[in-house]
Each structure stands twice: as C-alpha cells, then as structure tokens.
Amino acid sequence: LMFFSIVGLFNTVHFSVMLLDVFNIVPIMGEILKSITVPGIKLLSVVYLFIMTIYIYAAFGLAAFEGDFDYAKDDDQDDNNGCHSTMACFWLIAYQGIPSGGYIEAGMIPQHNGEDNYISRVMYSLTFFAWVGVVLFNVITGLIVDSFTALRHDSEERADILKEECFVCGLKEQTYDELIDQGASFAKHRMTEHDWWSYVLYLAYLRDKEPTLMDGLESYVLGRLKVSDFDWVPRGTCHSIEQLSLPAAATAVAAK
C-alpha cells in the first residue's frame, strides 16, 4: 500500500488501492483475507487443475470443434474469429468459459440436434461444466469456507481464554470465584496485579536502562529475558492469593 500511495502522487488512479487498508483496520476483514492466504497451497493446486483442464479441453476442442469456437457468437457481422491453435483455444475457453461458471458454450456457436457431432458436443460441454463448474469451483468455495470457519473458531477460543484466564499467570476465573468470600476479585487481579501492559512496559524499561544502574532483581530478570526464560513470571499464583493463604496456613500451624 505504501508503494501505491507513492505512485498515486504521479497518477491518482493508484490511490484507489488504498481502500484495501480496510483489511488492516477491521479485524473481520483480516480474517477474510487470511481465509484465502492460509489455504494458499491448496488453492494454487486447484488453479493448476484449472489450467490443465482448460488446456486438455482446448486440445480436444481444437481437434473436434475448431469451427465452433467464436469470441462474438451473437454478432451477425462476425466472421467466426475463433481459435485455430491449442493456445488460442486455451485463452478463448479461459476468457469465455471460466467466468461464466464453467459454461464452455459461452465461447461456442450454438449447435442443433440435427448435426452430426451434436452428441459429442453435448458430452464435451457437459463434462466441462460438471468438472469445472461443479467440482472445481465448489472445491475452492469449500477450502475458503473451511479456512474462515477454523479462523473464526480459533479467534473465539482465544477471546474466551483471555476472558476467563489471566494472560500472565494462567489463573482461571473459577479459582477466584472460590475465594470470593475472602475478598478476591478476578477483574482487579487482571487490571492491577497482572496487567499485561505493565509487564510490557517493565520489559521495555529494562532494555533501555543502563546495566550498571540495575539492582539484583532487574539484572536477574533481564538475564532470563535474554535467554528466553520466563520462569520469573508468576504461574498459577499471585500476591493476593498468597496473602489470602497466609492466615489459613498460620491457623493450621497454631493448631498443631
């Protein structure tokens, strides 16, 4: 998009491409784009089948129905400017048959049942429609729909995890519900004790701070961070949980 924004200074038509920035702004649009890019290898395989199919039908069509292909079959002044080579028929079918949903007759002169090759023409058109219009197009649709469904499921699952669990320590809301009588609050825990932005800012602070000015704890955390060791991050516990557990532990010790 940056490229088109620069080129647009010389030709304003390129500014229209900037509308595609909606894929970066709207999350659901980003998922739609990913539903095409994620199964990219499979989609390319289907495109390869399209190309091979068109070439095969172009070869057979040239051999059996060379005079039937026509770019402007509805033009009375047309001199049957069809195709007279395999590649010419390939491009005619790609230009006329594929956009019409696999209806290869879109690029051919209509034929009546009294003609000699009528049956072979029907089989030629029907097999192309069944394979391209029904099978291949539906395969593409199925791949994109399945990919979009999987992406939506993963997105909703991540949202549920972030809603019910603490991103930092992994504590679930149910754990806090069991301690609610003792004053625990899951919302307060996520907003104050384990606010992930606080951890991000803390790491940025450590990276910018002079090593000679760090205390022992800061040096330790920065050292663990350099080797991608996050054992210093609390897991399954927090300060408030430990504080709530202290009176119960003291009572148990006194009872002994």
Side-chain angles (χ1 to χ4, degrees):
L1 294 180
M2 180 64 70
F3 170 78
F4 287 103
S5 66
I6 296 175
V7 177
L9 297 174
F10 306 95
N11 189 347
T12 56
V13 68
H14 293 91
F15 280 133
S16 62
V17 183
M18 300 302 296
L19 293 173
L20 295 177
D21 194 39
V22 68
F23 288 107
N24 295 323
I25 299 174
V26 183
I28 188 65
M29 296 297 292
E31 292 183 0
I32 293 176
L33 180 62
K34 288 182 180 178
S35 68
I36 300 175
T37 58
V38 170
I41 301 299
K42 296 180 181 179
L43 290 176
L44 288 176
S45 299
V46 179
V47 172
Y48 173 79
L49 288 177
F50 267 105
I51 295 174
M52 293 300 99
T53 299
I54 295 173
Y55 188 85
I56 291 172
Y57 273 82
F60 278 92
L62 178 66
F65 314 109
E66 179 179 357
D68 294 345
F69 286 100
D70 193 6
Y71 275 100
K73 64 179 183 179
D74 296 327
D75 188 355
D76 295 336
Q77 304 299 323
D78 179 41
D79 58 353
N80 192 19
N81 184 21
C83 60
H84 305 287
S85 68
T86 303
M87 287 308 301
C89 291
F90 174 90
W91 291 116
L92 189 150
I93 295 174
Y95 176 67
Q96 299 278 17
I98 300 301
S100 61
Y103 183 62
I104 200 172
E105 291 289 325
M108 303 181 74
I109 299 173
Q111 198 172 51
H112 303 287
N113 57 6
E115 301 184 27
D116 297 336
N117 60 350
Y118 178 74
I119 300 299
S120 58
R121 170 77 174 270
V122 170
M123 296 302 298
Y124 178 78
S125 301
L126 287 180
T127 54
F128 185 85
F129 174 76
W131 175 243
V132 174
V134 178
V135 177
L136 293 185
F137 275 117
N138 285 332
V139 167
I140 291 178
T141 303
L143 288 173
I144 295 176
V145 170
D146 289 345
S147 177
F148 181 77
T149 303
L151 289 171
R152 288 292 297 169
H153 175 73
D154 293 342
S155 178
E156 293 174 356
E157 187 176 5
R158 287 193 299 269
D160 291 339
I161 292 175
L162 291 176
K163 180 180 179 181
E164 299 176 0
E165 296 183 11
C166 174
F167 180 79
V168 176
C169 67
L171 277 172
K172 294 185 177 181
E173 187 174 6
Q174 182 179 0
T175 304
Y176 265 76
D177 290 340
E178 295 173 353
L179 298 171
I180 197 66
D181 294 336
Q182 303 181 44
S185 171
F186 186 70
K188 180 181 178 181
H189 165 75
R190 292 199 304 178
M191 293 177 61
T192 57
E193 283 189 307
H194 286 171
D195 178 21
W196 59 47
W197 285 115
S198 297
Y199 278 81
V200 172
L201 293 175
Y202 180 66
L203 295 179
Y205 162 77
L206 292 180
R207 287 175 175 173
D208 294 338
K209 189 174 183 179
E210 288 291 336
T212 56
L213 300 178
M214 293 183 179
D215 57 26
L217 179 60
E218 292 174 343
S219 298
Y220 170 78
V221 172
L222 183 61
R224 295 294 87 199
L225 185 63
K226 289 181 178 179
V227 296
S228 300
D229 184 357
F230 293 92
D231 286 342
W232 56 274
V233 178
R235 297 181 181 178
T237 186
C238 63
H239 180 70
S240 61
I241 292 290
E242 294 177 353
Q243 290 297 314
L244 290 171
S245 301
L246 287 177
T251 302
V253 172
K256 292 181 179 180

